[in-house]
Amino acid sequence: MAPENSKSVTAIYPGSFDPVTNGHLDLIARAAVIFDRLVVAVARNYDKSPLFPVQERVEMLEAVTFDWKNVEVDVFEGLLMDYARARGARVILRGIRAVSDYEYELQMAMMNRKIEPQIETVFMLPGEAYSYLSSRLVKELAQFGALPKGLVPAIVEERLRTKVG
Ligand code: PNS
């Protein structure tokens, strides 16, 4: 059957976003010009001991994506594919920074395809300046007061400072 090209394409960008980094933002900027609607979906209860509660992660994401009118921030729980189906999404967006990301991402993408073959995982590469950046390292460096400038948005830097002293 011929694809329905007239339909607008919703992509879901799922993740923990604990917290959002400039690498995530770089990917959002790239994806926002490709997809009609981009839903940045924060996974609830995925990591049992996050630094930021879901509501705070959402607030930070909303603040930093405010300028993109086709970007929305949402929260999901349970199976990603159930959520994606419910949102009428055709694409799951994931970023790949380095080869080391590939194996885990491949497993997830293949499993998700098995669950819902109609939804395609699309991988995008963040700018090379962010190829080594992760929320985990950001949190670790912030705890030592050693977070270099330019890796997270200003609002995240502020909240990290409040959180970890
Ligand atoms: O940013 P992260 O932590 O790598 O995000 C991983 C996430 C939350 C996207 C992934 O673990 C997920 O989709 N969790 C929801 C539960 C689910 O659908 N699991 C099956 C994956 S094949």
Side-chain angles (χ1 to χ4, degrees), residues 29-48:
R30 291 169 196 276
V33 295
I34 295 176
F35 301 108
D36 299 293
R37 170 170 288 270
L38 182 65
V39 181
V40 182
V42 180
R44 191 195 290 281
N45 297 339
Y46 173 64
D47 178 353
K48 297 291 175 213

Side-chain angles (χ1 to χ4, degrees), residues 145-161:
L147 183 64
K149 294 266 166 231
L151 298 185
V152 294
I155 182 177
V156 174
E157 212 173 305
E158 262 170 54
R159 301 242 182 153
L160 275 169
R161 219 175 296 126

Side-chain angles (χ1 to χ4, degrees), residues 14-17 43 46 76 78-81 94 104 108 111-112:
S16 310
F17 301 103
Y46 173 64
F76 78 101
L79 201 60
L80 175 61
M81 285 296 120
R94 292 286 289 174
Y104 168 61
M108 268 209 308
M111 200 58 90
N112 283 334

